[in-house]
Amino acid sequence: MEKWSDEAPDVVQNLREIQHKISEACIASGRRPEEVTLLGVTKTVPPNRINAAISAGLQNIGENRVQEFLSKKEKISLENVKVHMIGHLQTNKVSRVITDVDLIESVDSLHLADAINKQSIKKNNITNVLVEVNIGREKAKSGIMEEKLDELLCKMGEMKGLRVLGLMTVPPILNTESEKRAVFSHMYKLFIDIRSKNIDNILMNVLSMGMSSDYIEAIKEGATIVRIGSALFGKRG
Ligand SMILES: *Cc1c(COP(=O)(O)O)cnc(C)c1O
């Protein structure tokens, strides 16, 4: 068996800095640091660096590709770690991951929701999911348009094999702090509007938004999960 050295002092240092900045952003906006979950995004990151972060206290990781996750997972110390699927998920891959992941953040169609529901029922499971919203209405991005959200959520609320915890978004690349905050604030408003509709079986407690370049702004606008890759593990190759 291959031996991995799990020492990566840069990753541990980055983790400490990010945790500190998350706390500061929470305090600055009158929130408790426990309200925000740091998800370490591990796409393309080798297992030893992931394990270094886990040893230093990272409790949640996010992978984009089913294939990559399955090929790495034996080498990752997952005992006390939750795994989120955050990339576009093909329906034919659903059965291979639903027993391995704690949350699928990237549900963006009825078709995919149906597949997760059916496979979960078959495995006697309830899968936690978020619905991904294309908040910037970008052609190249996944996620559903906000005006289609209610209809999808009503249908998902009837599915016994899944539980909708909230929403996720990958916003457009924005430069100024005020532009970033405006987009996140729009997303938060959508989240609160839906929550107030009390759709059957739709919880709306989780709002996943903010990445390496904008997680501070996202926290200030109400994010409960921030998904951080490059600021934690370094630039992807
Ligand atoms: C890669 C990725 C991230 C992390 O991006 P960074 O800018 O490296 O922090 C977050 N969310 C999704 C969906 C991603 O694909």
Side-chain angles (χ1 to χ4, degrees):
M1 181 142 167
E2 211 168 338
K3 252 200 167 288
W4 289 92
S5 161
D6 289 348
E7 277 178 43
D10 58 322
V11 171
V12 176
Q13 170 88 31
N14 293 341
L15 178 66
R16 296 286 171 258
E17 275 173 30
I18 293 164
Q19 286 169 328
H20 181 69
K21 286 186 185 164
I22 290 175
S23 289
E24 280 188 338
C26 285
I27 291 162
S29 49
R31 305 181 64 197
R32 286 175 296 118
E34 313 84 76
E35 289 174 34
V36 177
T37 298
L38 166 60
L39 185 76
V41 175
T42 52
K43 63 180 173 227
T44 77
V45 178
N48 65 316
R49 290 176 72 73
I50 303 172
N51 287 335
I54 291 171
S55 307
L58 184 70
Q59 293 175 327
N60 300 274
I61 64 167
E63 275 283 346
N64 287 64
R65 294 202 178 85
V66 172
Q67 204 64 46
E68 182 183 340
F69 173 63
L70 295 176
S71 72
K72 288 196 303 204
K73 71 169 191 176
E74 304 296 335
K75 294 180 184 148
I76 308 174
S77 325
L78 290 174
E79 296 78 41
N80 300 308
V81 171
K82 295 209 159 114
V83 178
H84 297 197
M85 188 51 59
I86 61 173
H88 181 70
L89 183 59
Q90 288 169 297
T91 51
N92 62 3
K93 301 255 171 70
V94 166
S95 67
R96 305 182 58 191
V97 283
I98 52 169
T99 47
D100 282 325
V101 301
D102 297 281
L103 180 63
I104 298 175
E105 295 201 13
S106 42
V107 176
D108 63 354
S109 69
L110 185 59
H111 185 56
L112 178 57
D114 259 331
I116 296 170
N117 183 41
K118 289 201 179 101
Q119 289 295 332
S120 302
I121 290 170
K122 206 161 142 189
K123 296 196 155 101
N124 225 344
N125 207 23
I126 296 178
T127 303
N128 290 325
V129 304
L130 303 181
V131 172
E132 181 175 357
V133 181
N134 186 345
I135 201 71
R137 315 184 75 82
E138 294 169 281
K139 283 216 175 71
K141 277 210 178 120
S142 16
I144 72 154
M145 296 300 166
E146 55 186 282
E147 63 275 13
K148 302 239 171 90
L149 204 46
D150 277 13
E151 191 190 343
L152 179 62
L153 287 171
C154 286
K155 288 181 179 150
M156 288 175 77
E158 290 167 7
M159 297 180 182
K160 305 277 182 254
L162 52 83
R163 190 186 292 122
V164 180
L165 304 186
L167 303 179
M168 181 271 237
T169 195
V170 182
I173 294 166
L174 299 165
N175 297 314
T176 69
E177 187 185 338
S178 67
E179 283 175 333
K180 291 174 187 172
R181 287 192 67 160
V183 171
F184 291 132
S185 149
H186 180 82
M187 189 68 199
Y188 183 74
K189 192 169 169 296
L190 194 61
F191 172 73
I192 292 297
D193 282 351
I194 290 165
R195 185 151 76 184
S196 69
K197 289 179 185 161
N198 288 315
I199 303 172
D200 279 351
N201 299 315
I202 302 292
L203 290 169
M204 286 297 137
N205 296 325
V206 176
L207 180 56
S208 175
M209 59 183 192
M211 314 199 291
S212 292
S213 59
D214 53 17
Y215 66 96
I216 303 291
E217 291 83 0
I219 291 170
K220 290 182 176 167
E221 298 299 341
T224 71
I225 296 178
V226 289
R227 307 179 309 268
I228 302 185
S230 48
L232 177 56
F233 294 109
K235 244 192 150 97
R236 285 180 291 275

Coordinates of all heavy atoms in Angstrom, one line a residue, residues 41 43 64 86 168 170 211-212 227-230 236, ligand 1:
V41 N -13.0 22.5 -0.5 CA -13.3 21.9 -1.8 C -12.0 21.2 -2.3 O -11.0 21.8 -2.5 CB -13.7 23.0 -2.8 CG1 -13.9 22.5 -4.2 CG2 -15.1 23.7 -2.3
K43 N -11.5 19.2 -5.1 CA -11.3 18.7 -6.5 C -9.8 18.9 -6.9 O -9.2 20.0 -6.5 CB -12.2 19.4 -7.5 CG -12.0 20.9 -7.5 CD -13.0 21.6 -8.5 CE -12.9 23.1 -8.4 NZ -14.1 23.8 -8.4
N64 N -16.3 17.6 -6.7 CA -17.1 18.0 -7.9 C -17.5 16.7 -8.7 O -18.5 16.7 -9.3 CB -16.4 18.9 -8.8 CG -16.3 20.3 -8.2 OD1 -15.7 20.5 -7.1 ND2 -16.9 21.3 -8.9
I86 N -20.7 18.7 -5.0 CA -21.0 20.1 -5.3 C -21.0 20.4 -6.8 O -21.3 21.5 -7.3 CB -20.1 21.1 -4.6 CG1 -18.6 20.9 -5.0 CG2 -20.2 21.1 -3.1 CD1 -17.6 22.0 -4.5
M168 N -28.2 26.5 -3.0 CA -26.7 26.7 -3.3 C -26.6 27.6 -4.6 O -27.5 27.6 -5.4 CB -26.1 25.4 -3.5 CG -24.6 25.4 -3.8 SD -24.2 25.6 -5.6 CE -23.2 24.1 -5.8
V170 N -23.5 29.4 -7.4 CA -22.1 29.8 -7.8 C -22.4 31.1 -8.6 O -22.8 31.0 -9.8 CB -21.5 28.8 -8.8 CG1 -20.1 29.2 -9.2 CG2 -21.4 27.4 -8.1
M211 N -17.0 31.5 -2.2 CA -15.8 30.7 -2.5 C -14.6 31.5 -2.1 O -14.7 32.5 -1.4 CB -15.8 30.3 -4.0 CG -17.2 29.9 -4.5 SD -17.2 28.9 -6.0 CE -16.7 30.2 -7.2
S212 N -13.4 31.1 -2.5 CA -12.2 31.7 -2.0 C -12.2 33.2 -2.2 O -11.7 33.9 -1.3 CB -11.0 31.1 -2.8 OG -10.8 29.8 -2.4
R227 N -17.8 27.5 0.5 CA -17.1 26.4 -0.2 C -15.7 26.9 -0.7 O -15.6 27.7 -1.6 CB -17.9 25.9 -1.4 CG -19.3 25.5 -1.1 CD -20.1 25.1 -2.4 NE -19.9 26.0 -3.5 CZ -20.8 27.0 -3.7 NH1 -21.9 27.2 -3.0 NH2 -20.5 27.8 -4.7
I228 N -14.7 26.5 0.0 CA -13.4 27.1 -0.3 C -12.3 26.1 -0.8 O -12.1 25.1 -0.1 CB -12.9 27.8 1.0 CG1 -13.9 28.9 1.4 CG2 -11.5 28.4 0.8 CD1 -13.6 29.7 2.5
G229 N -11.8 26.3 -2.0 CA -10.8 25.4 -2.5 C -9.4 26.0 -2.5 O -8.6 25.7 -1.7
S230 N -9.2 26.9 -3.5 CA -7.8 27.4 -3.7 C -7.2 28.1 -2.5 O -6.0 28.0 -2.2 CB -7.7 28.2 -5.0 OG -8.8 29.2 -5.0
R236 N -5.1 25.4 -8.1 CA -5.3 24.1 -8.7 C -4.4 24.0 -10.0 O -4.3 25.0 -10.7 CB -6.7 23.8 -9.1 CG -7.6 23.4 -8.0 CD -9.0 23.2 -8.4 NE -9.7 24.4 -8.8 CZ -10.3 25.2 -7.9 NH1 -10.3 25.0 -6.6 NH2 -10.9 26.3 -8.4
Ligands
LIG1 C1 -14.2 24.7 -7.3 C2 -15.4 25.1 -6.6 C3 -15.4 25.9 -5.5 C4 -14.2 26.4 -4.8 O1 -13.6 27.4 -5.6 P1 -12.3 28.3 -5.1 O2 -12.4 29.5 -5.9 O3 -11.1 27.4 -5.4 O4 -12.5 28.4 -3.6 C5 -16.7 26.1 -4.8 N1 -17.8 25.7 -5.4 C6 -17.9 24.9 -6.5 C7 -19.2 24.5 -7.0 C8 -16.7 24.6 -7.2 O5 -16.7 23.9 -8.3

